[in-house]
Amino acid sequence: MRRGVASGSERALPKMLWSPGTGPQHVVRVVNVHCPFCRHDDSRVIDSRTAEDGTSTRRRRQCQACSRRFTTVETVALSVVKRCGTSEPFNREKVVSGVRRACQGRPVSDDQLTLLAHQVEDQIRSTGAAEVDSHQVGLAVLGPLRQLDEVAYLRFASVYRSFESIDDFLAEISALRESALSRPEGS
């Protein structure tokens, strides 16, 4: 298929464009937008705005055939590659449920877990990669979780850093103590 050009038989399929100098992690999909009223596939963008959270773009469009206006919301897909090699969309709820297990019995609210999941997603999206390894998601949890609750952090880190002995725990506890001593009081 030629870059950005669709012939008659290819018109129904999404067109794949590669960003210059990058691999498959930076694939941009261009899909024809059909008018919801007349199903015509040619529309003109009248207005574009970034959504409040910055992860999506709202576009106001006008159909070239029927002249009616409609809105589209475009988001960047983020996929997680699991250990078995399968890929699935990033899901904040999975982050929350995984961290909730580490926070069991700790004074951590659901709102705090939701905020942590947003922080993790923002950190992963800031890399610019469209696909990330599930292990990278687990490692991205460590920083915000350490700030939230140190006991939950130790529980979670023992799994994602594959602690093999009590020495691994002691080393991590020493690092936590050192960082607590170097922090200014009240933070």
Side-chain angles (χ1 to χ4, degrees):
M1 183 176 353
R2 290 173 284 166
R3 277 178 81 104
V5 177
S7 66
S9 64
E10 297 168 343
R11 195 156 182 77
L13 299 174
K15 294 170 272 193
M16 302 289 280
L17 301 176
W18 295 87
S19 298
T22 62
Q25 72 271 20
H26 289 94
V27 173
V28 177
R29 273 187 187 209
V30 179
V31 180
N32 289 338
V33 177
H34 295 277
C35 172
F37 306 107
C38 71
R39 302 293 298 153
H40 194 268
D41 66 354
D42 190 18
S43 63
R44 184 172 62 99
V45 175
I46 297 170
D47 182 37
S48 291
R49 296 181 187 195
T50 303
E52 292 175 18
D53 60 359
T55 61
S56 59
T57 303
R58 179 186 169 274
R59 298 193 196 281
R60 192 76 180 137
R61 297 176 178 270
Q62 183 172 13
C63 177
Q64 298 293 71
C66 70
S67 298
R68 293 179 78 177
R69 293 183 178 191
F70 58 98
T71 301
T72 58
V73 177
E74 301 168 14
T75 58
V76 177
L78 178 60
S79 297
V80 177
V81 180
K82 296 164 64 171
R83 287 184 202 150
C84 63
T86 61
S87 182
E88 64 181 39
F90 178 84
N91 184 346
R92 275 189 230 127
E93 281 305 310
K94 281 194 166 188
V95 172
V96 169
S97 68
V99 174
R100 184 174 281 127
R101 278 183 249 133
C103 293
Q104 195 169 10
R106 301 297 303 157
V108 177
S109 70
D110 286 341
D111 289 341
Q112 289 173 309
L113 292 177
T114 302
L115 179 61
L116 182 138
H118 279 283
Q119 291 171 335
V120 169
E121 183 177 9
D122 289 345
Q123 181 180 343
I124 292 169
R125 285 190 184 276
S126 71
T127 66
E131 276 190 349
V132 294
D133 187 62
S134 61
H135 190 71
Q136 289 176 302
V137 175
L139 292 175
V141 168
L142 292 175
L145 185 56
R146 184 176 182 171
Q147 297 296 318
L148 182 62
D149 187 280
E150 290 178 342
V151 172
Y153 164 78
L154 273 175
R155 291 174 180 171
F156 198 87
S158 68
V159 174
Y160 273 88
R161 290 198 176 149
S162 302
F163 287 8
E164 295 179 5
S165 70
I166 193 72
D167 293 332
D168 294 333
F169 280 95
L170 292 174
E172 195 63 39
I173 291 168
S174 294
L176 284 170
R177 283 186 179 151
E178 286 177 25
S179 69
L181 292 174
S182 65
R183 276 189 300 220
E185 287 187 39
S187 63

